[in-house]
């Protein structure tokens, strides 16, 4: 790797970063707590989507203490729409560890950071380098793409051995400005060395050393070995309302979307004719059934292909709902207190 990221190339990269970096809220601080929150939010999530969540999160949880003691439902509400909710639960768990084991002060070494819940090699490297200037690598998907193209490597970037090898090699090349180097690599991958055939090599400070630019390989690199196809689940979503209340179900505390509230839904696609009979099995009498537009949501390992119905039920229901975790919630309370994941975003507009 050092033939590509030699000292001169690293200097060019750092200069480029100084002149071209985006002004992002988490780049205005060296507070390890704030950098940690930003790096967790930025996993799998676009910068523009993260910005409002980051601001709101820090208003509610400005430090480790407030995060460690935030009630679960409030935390889920703060994270509502960002997805991958285990990230939020791990943040809270890690904050509790920081209180108990580190006296409330964020740890200052890569190893101690790495030991916290939800902090892997990348995040520990990002916090250690950006907040403390420690010369450790932080290799995310952006950086893997830059490194694969720079070296003209056809190795599978999803292979942990490839990443580990590049991490070892990169470690030796990190300049004293470790935080800027980390951010420069990420920024290059996010704004110039972008995926999907749109690389902007003419803007790249490393183009003189880049094999992919020289050999016109940016469209084929990086290589990712094919993943197992996602399982497809057909689901029927039921928006069950009685005029003043709407049915929501709390999901089990383990697994996909653990502990969040969802619109009641059943596996398989039910026809409109089947809905009244199904509702009777869970204790409701349907007065009116209206089909809504179908929608899809893609999770890491599964895709939900949803059809949906808006269902009016009789207003006198006060018995036990026949579906696991179901409650009838006053419509005026829906938005305040219940975090409904974005898997249902095609239908939350009906919750008014
Ligand atoms: N993606 C991951 N970390 C980032 C950062 N610090 N700035 C911008 N995008 C990022």
């Amino acid at each position: 790797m050092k033939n590509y990221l030699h000292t001169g190339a690293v200097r060019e990269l750092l200069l480029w970063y100084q002149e071209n970096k985006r002004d992002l809220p988490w780049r205005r601080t060296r507070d390890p707590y704030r950098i940690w929150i930003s790096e967790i939010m930025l996993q799998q999530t676009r910068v523009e989507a993260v910005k409002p969540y980051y601001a709101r999160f820090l208003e509610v949880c400005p430090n480790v203490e407030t995060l460690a003691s935030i009630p679960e439902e409030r935390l889920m509400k703060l994270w509502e729409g960002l997805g991958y909710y285990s990230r939020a639960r791990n943040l809270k768990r890690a904050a509790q560890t920081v209180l108990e084991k580190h006296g409330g002060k964020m740890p200052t070494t890569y190893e101690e950071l790495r030991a916290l819940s939800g902090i892997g090699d990348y995040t520990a490297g990002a916090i250690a380098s950006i907040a403390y200037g420690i010369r450790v690598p932080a290799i995310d998907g952006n950086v893997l793409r830059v490194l694969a193209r720079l070296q003209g490597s056809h190795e599978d970037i999803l292979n942990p051995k490839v990443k580990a090898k590049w991490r070892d090699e990169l470690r030796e090349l990190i300049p004293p400005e470790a935080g800027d180097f980390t951010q420069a690599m990420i920024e290059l991958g996010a704004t110039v060395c972008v995926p999907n055939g749109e690389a902007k090599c003419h803007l790249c400070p490393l183009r003189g050393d880049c094999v992919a630019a020289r050999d016109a390989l940016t469209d084929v690199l990086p290589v990712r070995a094919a993943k197992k196809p996602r399982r497809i689940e057909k689901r029927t979503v039921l928006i069950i309302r009685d005029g003043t209340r709407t049915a929501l179900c709390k999901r089990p505390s383990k697994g996909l979307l653990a502990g969040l509230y969802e619109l009641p839904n059943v596996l398989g696609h039910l026809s409109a004719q089947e809905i009244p009979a199904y509702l009777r099995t869970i204790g409701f009498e349907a007065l009116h059934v209206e089909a809504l537009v179908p929608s899809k949501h893609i999770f890491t390992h599964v895709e939900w292909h949803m059809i949906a119905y808006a269902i009016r039920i009789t207003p006198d229901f006060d018995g036990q709902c026949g579906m696991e975790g179901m409650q009838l919630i006053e419509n005026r309370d829906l938005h305040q207190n219940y975090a409904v994941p974005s898997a249902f975003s095609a239908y939350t507009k009906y919750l008014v």
Side-chain angles (χ1 to χ4, degrees):
M1 189 177 294
K2 69 173 178 301
N3 293 340
Y4 304 100
L5 270 178
H6 51 80
T7 317
V10 170
R11 285 294 124 204
E12 288 296 326
L13 175 69
L14 291 172
L15 274 176
W16 170 85
Y17 179 65
Q18 285 313 330
E19 283 168 16
N20 296 283
K21 64 183 170 191
R22 289 169 294 174
D23 178 16
L24 302 174
W26 45 90
R27 292 190 176 157
R28 295 176 163 210
T29 180
R30 302 213 43 186
D31 175 356
Y33 174 76
R34 290 177 169 244
I35 289 165
W36 172 38
I37 304 298
S38 74
E39 289 299 339
I40 298 296
M41 287 189 171
L42 286 161
Q43 289 167 13
Q44 335 266 357
T45 312
R46 288 175 309 105
V47 163
E48 288 309 316
V50 164
K51 280 182 185 173
Y53 283 92
Y54 178 74
R56 204 158 4 111
F57 194 94
L58 289 174
E59 265 172 39
V60 179
C61 300
N63 49 41
V64 169
E65 290 78 12
T66 42
L67 174 55
S69 59
I70 188 173
E72 176 83 5
E73 306 258 309
R74 186 96 201 275
L75 179 64
M76 289 301 111
K77 193 69 195 162
L78 268 180
W79 209 265
E80 182 181 17
L82 264 185
Y84 303 97
Y85 292 80
S86 57
R87 292 184 293 174
R89 288 201 192 81
N90 281 330
L91 275 178
K92 176 171 170 172
R93 206 170 300 138
Q96 289 169 334
T97 308
V98 172
L99 274 191
E100 286 157 19
K101 290 213 178 138
H102 302 280
K105 202 173 157 303
M106 287 292 287
T108 53
T109 66
Y110 172 89
E111 289 73 20
E112 287 169 313
L113 289 164
R114 179 70 181 77
L116 295 171
S117 293
I119 297 193
D121 292 329
Y122 165 74
T123 310
I127 303 170
S129 60
I130 298 170
Y132 305 125
I134 299 172
R135 290 159 89 168
V136 283
I139 302 187
D140 72 349
N142 287 312
V143 178
L144 281 171
R145 185 168 57 253
V146 172
L147 294 177
R149 288 179 175 166
L150 194 60
Q151 305 173 91
S153 169
H154 286 73
E155 289 173 284
D156 170 18
I157 59 164
L158 297 179
N159 180 345
K161 288 193 185 137
V162 171
K163 192 159 155 182
K165 180 178 70 177
W166 290 354
R167 191 184 304 123
D168 288 344
E169 293 174 7
L170 192 59
R171 189 186 307 277
E172 308 300 319
L173 309 175
I174 299 174
E177 304 91 327
D180 279 355
F181 178 76
T182 288
Q183 300 235 45
M185 291 291 281
I186 294 170
E187 193 74 348
L188 193 66
T191 62
V192 172
C193 195
V194 291
N196 306 328
E198 294 182 3
K200 302 182 177 84
C201 299
H202 59 291
L203 298 177
C204 182
L206 303 180
R207 67 184 173 281
D209 297 293
C210 179
V211 175
R214 186 192 69 199
D215 297 348
L217 290 172
T218 52
D219 288 357
V220 292
L221 296 179
V223 171
R224 275 186 203 83
K227 283 199 220 161
K228 214 168 90 186
R230 279 185 289 264
R231 185 175 81 250
I232 293 182
E233 276 182 17
K234 290 182 178 176
R235 292 196 167 259
T236 303
V237 176
L238 309 170
I239 302 174
I240 304 173
R241 318 192 86 186
D242 71 357
T244 61
R245 299 176 300 172
T246 302
L248 289 185
C249 293
K250 191 167 166 80
R251 288 183 64 90
S253 60
K254 293 245 173 330
L256 189 69
L257 303 175
L260 296 172
Y261 288 87
E262 65 180 349
L263 287 166
N265 60 87
V266 288
L267 213 46
H269 282 171
L270 298 181
S271 69
Q273 290 71 33
E274 290 171 304
I275 292 290
Y278 176 74
L279 279 210
R280 255 173 250 126
T281 69
I282 57 172
F284 296 124
E285 194 57 41
L287 294 177
H288 181 74
V289 177
E290 180 194 347
L292 306 175
V293 289
S295 75
K296 276 186 197 169
H297 189 80
I298 297 176
F299 297 97
T300 311
H301 301 298
V302 62
E303 283 179 31
W304 282 1
H305 291 194
M306 293 171 275
I307 61 168
Y309 297 97
I311 302 155
R312 188 60 168 259
I313 53 166
T314 51
D316 50 2
F317 182 87
D318 61 356
Q320 179 64 35
C321 306
M323 205 183 221
E324 185 81 20
M326 187 188 273
Q327 305 166 35
L328 280 170
I329 300 194
E330 294 296 331
N331 291 340
R332 63 173 177 276
D333 294 339
L334 277 175
H335 299 285
Q336 280 285 317
N337 304 325
Y338 298 89
V340 178
S342 20
F344 297 98
S345 60
Y347 307 117
T348 44
K349 61 173 178 270
Y350 298 102
L351 303 183
V352 285

